[in-house]
Amino acid sequence: MSVTTVPLRPVSKGGLWLLWIGLAALVALAVGVAWCQTIERGTTVEVVKPGEGPSPTDEDMVLIKYTGKLADGTVFDQQEQAPLPVAGSVPGFSKALKQMQRGGKYKIVIPPEEGYGDQAAGPIPPNSTLYFDVELIDFRNAAEVRAMMQQMQQMQMQGGPGGPGGPPPGAPQP
């Protein structure tokens, strides 16, 4: 048996660097594609008009104006002033609310995984992507909301404006 040797030319130093640069570019491209796919699957929030100040937290109650639509443009819900606990909504909507600021207007896209999933909810079919136009009018923490409600109840009990035994709202006070 005879062995034939084939002479190999050495790899130039410049060629080795090109190989490493090409490999790094492929890794960067793979990371970029994976990152884009992750973003597309989650809830997206587009700022139409920026707001001011801090953002709500899970412990807050928000007052919002919104319109909810399906992919075909069908409006499934609409409110001019809706009070809503941040933690009491679907996960995607709650996540979006925590990115907003008072006075801002936003467009939200909630994929089914962060919305109602494979369950129907009223006029919303299963596996629906939800589209919202939202304006964050105001928000308060839960303690402030409880204090305001107690104050209103006390006014009604004491016969304040609009309460039992008191003058109607807007009437001159004695």
Side-chain angles (χ1 to χ4, degrees):
M1 175 187 286
S2 74
V3 176
T4 308
T5 59
V6 176
L8 295 174
R9 289 192 270 159
V11 176
S12 69
K13 290 182 182 178
L16 191 55
W17 281 107
L18 286 175
L19 178 66
W20 281 109
I21 290 172
L23 185 60
L26 282 174
V27 169
L29 179 65
V31 168
V33 168
W35 185 71
C36 286
Q37 287 178 347
T38 302
I39 286 179
E40 289 174 7
R41 289 192 185 133
T43 297
T44 59
V45 179
E46 176 189 338
V47 177
V48 175
K49 175 188 161 211
E52 295 180 353
S55 298
T57 65
D58 280 331
E59 292 77 35
D60 293 331
M61 291 280 295
V62 295
L63 183 63
I64 59 173
K65 174 182 178 180
Y66 72 92
T67 301
K69 299 177 188 173
L70 300 173
D72 65 2
T74 303
V75 174
F76 62 83
D77 197 5
Q78 187 171 355
Q79 295 288 324
E80 286 295 316
Q81 288 190 349
L84 179 74
V86 173
S89 58
V90 295
F93 202 81
S94 178
K95 183 195 291 186
L97 286 170
K98 291 184 274 186
Q99 296 179 39
M100 297 180 184
Q101 295 175 300
R102 189 176 280 118
K105 294 183 181 183
Y106 306 88
K107 288 188 179 291
I108 305 169
V109 179
I110 303 174
E113 313 75 73
E114 294 187 1
Y116 293 103
D118 59 1
Q119 303 294 316
I124 303 170
N127 297 312
S128 293
T129 298
L130 308 175
Y131 300 85
F132 288 93
D133 293 320
V134 179
E135 179 180 354
L136 179 59
I137 299 168
D138 198 6
F139 67 93
R140 304 268 184 219
N141 67 39
E144 289 176 311
V145 172
R146 278 193 300 275
M148 288 175 12
M149 290 175 66
Q150 287 175 347
Q151 187 178 17
M152 289 173 59
Q153 288 174 347
Q154 288 175 353
M155 284 178 60
Q156 288 180 346
M157 297 292 281
Q158 294 172 356
Q173 299 293 321

